[in-house]
Amino acid sequence: MLNLLTSALLLSTASAAAVVRKDYGHDSENSRKINVQVGVRPYYLVEDMDEGSLKRKLQSCSEGPFKVSDFVFAHRGAPLQFPEHTHESYSAARRMGAGVIECDVAFTKDKQLVCRHAQCDLHTTTNILAKPELAAKCTTPFKPASGGKPAEVKCCTSDITQAEFKSLCGKMDGANVNGTTVAAYMDGTPYFRTDLYATCGTLMTHNEYIELVDGWGLKFTPELKTPEVKMPFNGYTQEQYAQDMINAYKKHGIDPSRVWPQSFLPADIFYWIKNEPKFGKQAVYLDERVDTLEGYANATASMPELAKKGVKIVAPAFFALTKVRDGKIVPSEYAIAAKKAKIEIVAWSFERSGWLNKGGEYYYQYVSPVINNDGDMYTVLDVLVQQVGIKGIFTDWPATVTYYASCFGLK
């Protein structure tokens, strides 16, 4: 009788699993039937806006319906409140309507691909320092702050194996550089975030991320992180690293149309264009040249050359796409040049600046004279969509952009 019951239970479990796979597996339409929830933040931002037609339009959409949108690129998941690049962060992004989810791809000591924003950020994004046996393997083991000098530490994915990586917990990205103990150093979450959901974030390998996002029927934007170790790394070349990332999608049978590979290194973009053209045509060149005035001018002038080399999408920090003219926010020279060269634009990263009544810092530097409240975020987003014509935007809190995308029918 026990064997019969056990067999029945196993069959029941297998059937249930099959049903789940059917409902939530590779069926994009079923995935998009998820009850998208935007929470209270978008409403707070809309109410904080200056009076005008945009505010009235967004208020008119207060009851939804809110839908999954490929315009919404989940930047590291939902790191405004969840530990970045964790299962929990990705799940939150999905619930908030992100149609495209990001994995920043780094490699481990055994040359396996994992999701981390930087190759050497484990000391700020995980609990590695609380694990003495792994902390001892860090490139620079922890040295407490002393004599007015900040704490020193550097822990990289390439310091440990994939199995060791998976034993870590994700935490909110941050550190107290004045910490004189490991515990004090790890207690550094930025003021505009929270540790409420950071009890032990589940770290993800690149393969696990692919399986998760594919199971939801959503799309992918993996970023090949610029190595912080000398390449080749124990014989591992940059080209093999770039190829391994693409190979993972081919191995899982992912259609290239669902993947936006990214890199800050032009050589990676050109490698994909030449060697993996089906993926390369959606390769996103993350353009950090705009961070200096000289670089901004060079980047603007280079658009025709980039287009000639096959680059079809650029992605600068969104401050580079707008400026102020006659007291109004308008498209920048960079944005105009990209459009003229027929290069699409994906911007980064929304919800990453803290309070806008403090000036908005990095992401709002070109429009700070006309920024004075958090609601101005939607004013800037509206210019990016309606005037610049961006293809999508990375966001640390997808719900904020989902609200706008649903209101304006951005699919």
Side-chain angles (χ1 to χ4, degrees):
M1 177 63 107
L2 181 59
N3 289 338
L4 287 173
L5 287 173
T6 301
S7 299
L9 179 59
L10 289 172
L11 286 171
S12 175
T13 302
S15 298
V19 170
V20 170
R21 189 62 175 173
K22 180 179 180 182
D23 288 345
Y24 299 106
H26 302 265
D27 189 336
S28 179
E29 289 305 312
N30 279 336
S31 173
R32 288 168 183 269
K33 291 179 181 177
I34 187 174
N35 178 20
V36 173
Q37 299 171 14
V38 297
V40 298
R41 180 156 177 76
Y43 301 96
Y44 165 79
L45 295 174
V46 171
E47 291 306 307
D48 194 47
M49 293 177 67
D50 297 334
E51 296 300 327
S53 58
L54 178 59
K55 180 175 183 176
R56 290 191 293 273
K57 168 64 176 177
L58 291 173
Q59 286 176 323
S60 74
C61 299
S62 64
E63 306 312 307
F66 302 110
K67 300 179 180 179
V68 174
S69 172
D70 290 347
F71 180 80
V72 185
F73 283 50
H75 183 238
R76 315 185 199 180
L80 186 66
Q81 294 192 33
F82 290 82
E84 61 189 46
H85 293 306
T86 61
H87 187 286
E88 295 78 11
S89 192
Y90 292 151
S91 294
R94 178 207 182 201
R95 176 60 65 183
M96 289 188 278
V100 186
I101 295 180
E102 180 188 48
C103 166
D104 290 323
V105 180
F107 58 83
T108 59
K109 186 176 182 178
D110 48 350
K111 303 169 188 174
Q112 300 300 305
L113 303 184
V114 296
C115 298
R116 280 297 89 194
H117 172 64
Q119 184 179 26
C120 298
D121 72 0
L122 296 184
H123 50 288
T124 65
T125 66
T126 77
N127 67 337
I128 191 170
L129 296 181
K131 290 178 168 280
E133 71 282 6
L134 295 182
K137 298 182 179 184
C138 290
T139 297
T140 304
F142 178 72
K143 298 177 183 178
S146 177
K149 294 183 178 180
E152 295 181 41
V153 63
K154 185 177 183 180
C155 302
C156 308
T157 56
S158 51
D159 292 333
I160 58 177
T161 66
Q162 177 177 279
E164 290 170 330
F165 173 85
K166 284 292 292 178
S167 74
L168 300 175
C169 291
K171 75 175 192 69
M172 296 301 284
D173 184 18
N176 172 14
V177 297
N178 296 315
T180 56
T181 65
V182 164
Y185 179 84
M186 292 175 65
D187 186 17
T189 300
Y191 69 90
F192 58 92
R193 295 181 180 167
T194 177
D195 288 313
L196 187 62
Y197 306 110
T199 53
C200 182
T202 307
L203 301 195
M204 303 287 289
T205 68
H206 183 226
N207 281 325
E208 288 173 334
Y209 151 82
I210 293 175
E211 291 164 3
L212 183 70
V213 175
D214 187 35
W216 291 336
L218 300 178
K219 298 180 180 179
F220 312 82
T221 183
E223 179 189 337
L224 196 73
K225 297 308 299 186
T226 301
E228 295 185 45
V229 295
K230 185 177 180 180
M231 300 294 278
F233 172 78
N234 295 337
Y236 194 48
T237 66
Q238 183 70 26
E239 291 77 13
Q240 187 60 59
Y241 178 31
Q243 187 62 54
D244 282 352
M245 191 182 86
I246 298 301
N247 285 348
Y249 295 90
K250 296 167 73 174
K251 180 180 178 181
H252 284 86
I254 305 299
D255 192 291
S257 66
R258 295 174 63 196
V259 184
W260 282 272
Q262 322 163 54
S263 179
F264 279 102
L265 297 180
D268 293 337
I269 304 298
F270 300 144
Y271 176 88
W272 292 323
I273 290 172
K274 178 181 178 181
N275 296 284
E276 292 288 352
K278 291 182 179 179
F279 289 90
K281 69 180 181 180
Q282 289 196 153
V284 180
Y285 172 33
L286 299 168
D287 194 353
E288 61 184 344
R289 297 174 297 170
V290 298
D291 279 353
T292 66
L293 291 176
E294 181 181 5
Y296 177 92
N298 290 337
T300 301
S302 74
M303 290 299 171
E305 183 65 19
L306 287 177
K308 186 177 180 180
K309 290 182 176 180
V311 177
K312 298 186 181 301
I313 309 172
V314 293
F318 70 78
F319 78 82
L321 299 172
T322 58
K323 66 177 185 178
V324 174
R325 185 176 62 208
D326 298 328
K328 294 183 178 181
I329 301 173
V330 298
S332 68
E333 293 83 1
Y334 180 101
I336 293 170
K339 185 175 182 179
K340 185 176 180 180
K342 297 183 179 179
I343 295 178
E344 293 184 302
I345 300 171
V346 175
W348 51 271
S349 293
F350 217 55
E351 288 281 31
R352 200 164 179 81
S353 293
W355 301 321
L356 267 63
N357 63 359
K358 303 288 187 180
E361 302 172 349
Y362 176 78
Y363 288 99
Y364 295 87
Q365 57 185 287
Y366 283 4
V367 296
S368 59
V370 295
I371 295 294
N372 57 28
N373 57 60
D374 283 355
D376 285 330
M377 291 171 58
Y378 276 133
T379 302
V380 174
L381 180 60
D382 191 60
V383 173
L384 291 172
V385 173
Q386 306 299 338
Q387 297 185 48
V388 175
I390 61 174
K391 178 184 184 67
I393 189 165
F394 287 92
T395 174
D396 281 20
W397 198 242
T400 304
V401 180
T402 295
Y403 186 104
Y404 180 97
S406 293
C407 191
F408 282 88
L410 305 179
K411 299 181 178 180

